[in-house]
Amino acid sequence: VMERAAERLKELLSNQPNSLGIRLGVKRRGCNGLSYTLNYVLDVDKKDVSMEAHGVKIWIEPMALFNIVGTQMDFEETELTSEFTFNNPNSKGECGCGESFNV
């Protein structure tokens, strides 16, 4: 998790007082197979892998771990968009809109 992403996550978490952090996962969808999911953590799942980056607690779903090892998460803002971005060295391809990837 890059510093800009962590700062944005802190902003989002400040509006969710009951949240312990963020859960990162992947879900089968999109034209290329997988997409990233981000959810607030209200209860810790003991199967999740936990980490902390720049003061943000992150839990990674075990089924997602293989697909996201080495991935860098950042946050980018332009005049038209603001979004989390993922630089995944394991990705073999992405769809044209960037919403899904395959490993």
Side-chain angles (χ1 to χ4, degrees):
V1 175
M2 306 302 285
E3 194 169 347
R4 284 183 299 203
E7 291 304 316
R8 180 63 179 140
L9 289 171
K10 286 178 190 176
E11 288 176 32
L12 294 171
L13 288 166
S14 71
N15 296 320
Q16 300 291 324
N18 295 328
S19 180
L20 304 171
I22 295 292
R23 180 173 286 118
L24 174 62
V26 294
K27 189 175 200 176
R28 290 200 177 279
R29 72 172 168 215
C31 54
N32 230 339
L34 298 170
S35 64
Y36 301 100
T37 61
L38 292 172
N39 295 293
Y40 295 111
V41 175
L42 302 176
D43 295 309
V44 175
D45 185 333
K46 292 182 182 186
K47 295 177 185 174
D48 288 350
V49 176
S50 65
M51 63 171 282
E52 188 168 328
H54 304 288
V56 176
K57 292 184 180 180
I58 300 155
W59 283 267
I60 302 168
E61 296 174 358
M63 296 298 287
L65 200 54
F66 172 77
N67 297 305
I68 63 170
V69 168
T71 298
Q72 289 183 331
M73 179 181 167
D74 207 348
F75 184 74
E76 296 180 8
E77 287 185 278
T78 67
E79 292 181 16
L80 299 175
T81 65
S82 59
E83 63 186 348
F84 288 104
T85 59
F86 298 87
N87 181 7
N88 187 338
N90 306 305
S91 177
K92 302 294 183 218
E94 295 179 351
C95 66
C97 65
E99 290 291 322
S100 62
F101 68 99
N102 65 52
V103 176

